[in-house]
Amino acid sequence: MRALALVVVAAIAGCLTPPPAENDLARPAATPPPVAAAPTPPAPAAPPPVTMAEVEFGGTVTLPPKVKGDVTVWVVDAPCWQPGGRAFIATKVTGNKFFSEVFVPQGTQLWMCAAVGDGTKPLEIYGQADRAPLLGKGTGEVTFFGLSIKLAKGKKVAAPARR
């Protein structure tokens, strides 16, 4: 009993402490503080909207003597009759006069090409406007009137493909 009294006195005096609990699975493990997320980079800016130019063309087509047939005028994004050129629009000529209108991105270079035929077959009689390239740039209506296209016989070419 004396031993029990000594243990009680020692415990009251604070001499006896229970051993530290190691790997006590009953206690939740200490969790590290949360890591702050990296800031989200800003979304890339949307490209500015494409500003279009309204471009009007007008002029005359001259055929070689004794040549008859329907004439088509194309507004093209490359020199006439070169591979890779594509037409914005094709317009039939009335009499010997033509008028055409296109909407293109500002700064687009344009060529006016004409030929006897509609382009479904190879073309033999064709030409290009006397001024080229024309620049589709400006506000309001951009106009090119008084254009002249003289047609002549040449090696067979294909009509420009549609855009």
Side-chain angles (χ1 to χ4, degrees):
M1 201 94 156
R2 190 168 177 181
L4 182 60
L6 282 175
V7 170
V8 171
V9 171
I12 293 174
C15 293
L16 295 177
T17 59
E22 291 185 33
N23 297 330
D24 185 357
L25 298 178
R27 285 191 191 160
T31 57
V35 177
T40 304
V50 174
T51 304
M52 303 298 279
E54 178 183 359
V55 187
E56 295 181 352
F57 307 89
T60 59
V61 176
T62 305
L63 279 78
K66 299 183 183 178
V67 172
K68 294 184 182 189
D70 292 331
V71 176
T72 304
V73 174
W74 290 270
V75 178
V76 183
D77 63 359
C80 296
W81 322 118
Q82 301 299 313
R86 297 182 307 160
F88 288 97
I89 192 169
T91 305
K92 296 288 184 193
V93 173
T94 304
N96 70 337
K97 300 202 181 302
F98 68 89
F99 173 83
S100 191
E101 177 180 42
V102 295
F103 290 85
V104 297
Q106 287 285 340
T108 301
Q109 291 185 333
L110 304 165
W111 284 259
M112 299 296 296
C113 312
V116 173
D118 62 4
T120 58
K121 297 178 182 171
L123 306 167
E124 266 187 288
I125 300 172
Y126 52 87
Q128 175 176 301
D130 56 347
R131 292 184 281 166
L134 304 170
L135 189 59
K137 184 177 182 178
T139 58
E141 292 178 345
V142 180
T143 59
F144 296 99
F145 291 114
L147 296 171
S148 175
I149 304 175
K150 292 184 180 180
L151 305 185
K153 187 171 183 171
K155 66 177 184 161
K156 290 184 179 184
V157 295
R162 292 287 300 198
R163 288 183 63 81

